[in-house]
Amino acid sequence: MHVLLLGGHGKVALHLTPLLLNRGWSVTSVIRNPAHESEILELGQGHKGNLKVLLSSLEDVKSSSDAQKIINTVVPDYVVWSAGAGGKGGAARTIAIDQEAAKHFITASFASPSVSKLLLVSYLGSRRKQPSWMPDDQWAGIVKVQTEVLPTYAKAKLEADEYMTALAAQRKREPGPARPFQAINLRPGILTDQPATRKVELGITPKGDGSVTREDVAIVADLLLARADTEGWIDLVNGDEGVEEAVERVAREKVDAVVGEDVEGMVKRFFP
């Protein structure tokens, strides 16, 4: 398998890269700064898979055609979006990368014959409605992030998440047999730089202010990508369940945290 990893110098991506390579998969890591190239390539040492670096700024992706050019260059089987403005460059840059560039890559991934999986790293609070499993105080914290702490980021992530969800729903309604495609929305809580615990609460969680290590996010992403039966919204915080068992359970039970959201409304908004 060949993975196109967007945002390759991000902390989650740096943990994810060697995990993918260890499967014998190839990875093309997209980064903006050429000074980071040697750091990325060092991650490939001692692993079975092949690692390449593609220097490209996601700020320059202004259309789905721009994203398609990158995908056509790499011809990946799987696409992972682990990119973001990281709060740098103000609101305009956040919208340009976290929302618009993400949507362009979603469009291009769904349209590309080679791509069968798209994993988008979002965040746990990216939703419009209080889920039935979340207490009021936990939901209040999410609303504060959405409206006061990181409003532009929250808006951008929600737009990208809902667009992918709408596109996936629309695709399933198309007549005739469709090629397999997994649209995975991985939604971690507050990110920390602690070592992996390999213990998680996955799928749905009442812990709106829960945290998770970046390394555990990468481990979960790797396990989700390795299966043919994972898709939908998958919330993630650290917890008590072993990570392999958690992924197996979520896949077996078809857990999808999109429950309670207006998927039909998403489809109508993007594809009227």
Side-chain angles (χ1 to χ4, degrees):
M1 294 295 113
H2 190 170
V3 181
L4 173 63
L5 180 55
L6 300 155
H9 193 253
K11 292 181 179 180
V12 171
L14 291 174
H15 286 299
L16 179 58
T17 299
L19 297 176
L20 300 175
L21 293 170
N22 200 44
R23 293 186 178 277
W25 295 357
S26 298
V27 175
T28 296
S29 183
V30 178
I31 61 173
R32 176 179 58 88
N33 188 343
H36 295 150
E37 184 170 3
S38 60
E39 179 185 353
I40 299 294
L41 290 175
E42 286 178 9
L43 298 173
Q45 296 179 7
H47 295 288
K48 293 180 286 186
N50 297 314
L51 176 61
K52 295 180 180 179
V53 169
L54 177 62
L55 293 172
S56 182
S57 174
L58 297 177
E59 285 185 85
D60 296 333
V61 177
K62 305 293 187 183
S63 67
S64 57
S65 296
D66 291 338
Q68 192 72 61
K69 289 175 185 175
I70 292 174
I71 289 178
N72 289 348
T73 298
V74 176
V75 196
D77 301 284
Y78 307 155
V79 175
V80 175
W81 176 274
S82 189
K88 300 174 183 176
R93 188 166 183 266
T94 296
I95 294 296
I97 296 176
D98 293 76
Q99 178 175 304
E100 294 305 311
K103 288 174 67 178
H104 295 323
F105 270 101
I106 292 166
T107 301
S109 296
F110 272 82
S112 299
S114 72
V115 178
S116 62
K117 300 183 188 184
L118 169 62
L119 188 147
L120 188 74
V121 179
S122 183
Y123 81 108
L124 193 152
S126 183
R127 58 189 311 127
R128 294 182 186 272
K129 300 177 182 178
Q130 180 178 356
S132 60
W133 55 82
M134 188 172 292
D136 291 346
D137 62 327
Q138 298 290 300
W139 178 246
I142 285 175
V143 171
K144 185 173 183 178
V145 171
Q146 292 175 343
T147 58
E148 299 177 31
V149 182
L150 294 168
T152 303
Y153 172 82
K155 175 185 178 296
K157 297 301 286 186
L158 183 62
E159 177 77 3
D161 292 347
E162 291 190 340
Y163 181 67
M164 184 170 78
T165 301
L167 202 52
Q170 186 194 47
R171 189 177 182 281
K172 289 180 178 179
R173 299 173 186 179
E174 293 175 354
R179 62 182 174 86
F181 192 96
Q182 294 167 251
I184 305 166
N185 192 294
L186 181 58
R187 305 156 60 79
I190 299 165
L191 297 170
T192 75
D193 289 321
Q194 301 301 313
T197 67
R198 301 190 72 89
K199 297 285 187 178
V200 297
E201 196 165 306
L202 187 68
I204 60 174
T205 174
K207 299 175 183 176
D209 63 355
S211 63
V212 61
T213 76
R214 288 179 168 88
E215 189 174 3
D216 280 315
V217 176
I219 290 168
V220 171
D222 170 62
L223 291 171
L224 292 172
L225 287 167
R227 302 180 63 108
D229 55 356
T230 52
E231 63 178 357
W233 290 17
I234 302 174
D235 292 350
L236 168 63
V237 295
N238 280 129
D240 299 321
E241 188 175 16
V243 66
E244 288 87 358
E245 293 80 5
V247 170
E248 172 65 34
R249 174 184 52 78
V250 166
R252 182 180 65 251
E253 298 177 2
K254 301 188 184 303
V255 178
D256 192 342
V258 80
V259 170
E261 296 293 294
D262 183 9
V263 175
E264 190 61 36
M266 298 176 201
V267 174
K268 290 179 178 178
R269 180 160 71 91
F270 291 110
F271 309 105

